[in-house]
């Protein structure tokens, strides 16, 4: 439903922490108590590899509303609880994915987990994924922090690469915020087509 980076941005906006939200939430979380607020772990117990953060964003909004007026301690505690929850969610999905690969007897030399993008700069998420990889015997790779920026630059670069190969689109195409990685994949609920043509 919603990207994790967007969930960080919306949480930061809700708590008046500014933009970009990821670094602001992480900074506030450092002084927070993650146990003060109980937030729901998205898709708890489900065998899917999907992610879902819309319900978590709603839970953050409800906790913020219940604790008005918010002081710095409450903001830090909400951020710490949010960050701990997303770290657990990402870790749970990553471990499930690794388990599927292990069932297919993927050789140890090919057991490599790569994290990239803006959220890969979050220290708690990065540390959580590093721990899971160590426990399962996987190699963890992530770009240096200074290269884990907003995905807009990566998207623009991909567009430039396509343009230089002569690939263009007309200006009347319909944007799809959740465009699938596999253009031939069967459409599923939540694919973000919103009436757009396949």
């Amino acid at each position: 439903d919603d990207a994790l980076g967007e969930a960080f941005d919306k949480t930061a906006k809700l708590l008046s922490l500014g933009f970009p939200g990821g670094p602001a939430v992480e900074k506030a979380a450092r002084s927070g108590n993650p146990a003060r607020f109980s937030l729901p772990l998205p898709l708890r117990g489900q065998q899917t590899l999907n992610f879902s953060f819309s319900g978590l964003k709603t839970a953050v909004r409800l906790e913020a509303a219940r604790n008005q007026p918010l002081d710095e301690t409450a903001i830090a505690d909400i951020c710490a609880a949010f960050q701990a929850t997303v770290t657990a969610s990402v870790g749970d999905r990553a471990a499930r994915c690794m388990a599927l690969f292990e069932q297919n007897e993927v050789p140890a030399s090919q057991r490599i987990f790569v994290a990239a993008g803006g959220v890969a700069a979050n220290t708690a998420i990065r540390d959580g994924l590093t721990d899971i990889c160590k426990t399962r015997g996987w190699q963890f790779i992530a770009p240096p922090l200074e290269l884990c920026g907003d995905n807009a630059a990566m998207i623009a670069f991909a567009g430039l690469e396509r343009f230089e190969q002569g690939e263009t689109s007309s200006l009347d195409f319909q944007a799809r915020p959740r465009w699938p990685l596999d253009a031939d994949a069967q459409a599923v609920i939540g694919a973000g087509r919103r009436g757009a043509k396949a």
Side-chain angles (χ1 to χ4, degrees):
D1 46 21
D2 300 319
L4 181 51
E6 179 189 10
F8 270 99
D9 288 340
K10 294 275 177 72
T11 296
K13 183 177 180 180
L14 175 73
L15 301 174
S16 301
L17 295 177
F19 185 85
V25 169
E26 182 175 13
K27 182 179 178 184
R30 285 189 196 115
S31 61
N33 172 10
R36 178 177 171 190
F37 297 104
S38 179
L39 299 176
L41 185 64
L43 302 176
R44 181 192 305 270
Q46 294 189 25
Q47 297 300 311
T48 177
L49 296 178
N50 294 331
F51 289 91
S52 174
F53 297 108
S54 60
L56 180 58
K57 289 190 316 185
T58 299
V60 167
R61 181 177 49 78
L62 293 173
E63 288 295 353
R66 276 192 284 269
N67 289 276
Q68 290 294 327
L70 291 173
D71 58 19
E72 285 187 28
T73 301
I75 290 171
D77 292 347
I78 290 172
C79 287
F82 171 80
Q83 183 172 263
T85 302
V86 297
T87 298
S89 177
V90 169
D92 177 68
R93 300 295 123 175
R96 287 178 191 276
C97 182
M98 291 176 197
L100 286 175
F101 272 84
E102 291 162 6
Q103 287 174 6
N104 290 323
E105 299 180 10
V106 175
S109 63
Q110 295 177 17
R111 294 181 182 186
I112 302 168
F113 188 91
V114 179
V119 174
N122 181 283
T123 305
I125 293 173
R126 193 180 275 240
D127 289 349
L129 290 171
T130 299
D131 290 345
I132 290 167
C133 287
K134 281 181 184 175
T135 299
R136 300 189 75 97
W138 284 59
Q139 181 183 358
F140 178 74
I141 297 175
L145 291 177
E146 63 270 14
L147 298 180
C148 292
D150 190 300
N151 285 337
M154 292 178 245
I155 293 167
F157 184 75
L160 175 63
E161 291 283 305
R162 292 180 68 148
F163 178 76
E164 288 178 344
Q165 293 177 15
E167 296 180 43
T168 60
S169 298
S170 65
L171 295 178
D172 63 348
F173 77 94
Q174 290 184 296
R176 288 167 54 190
R178 294 176 187 91
W179 203 286
L181 294 175
D182 180 357
D184 297 325
Q186 183 177 3
V188 295
I189 294 173
R193 294 194 177 190
R194 297 183 186 172
K197 296 175 185 174

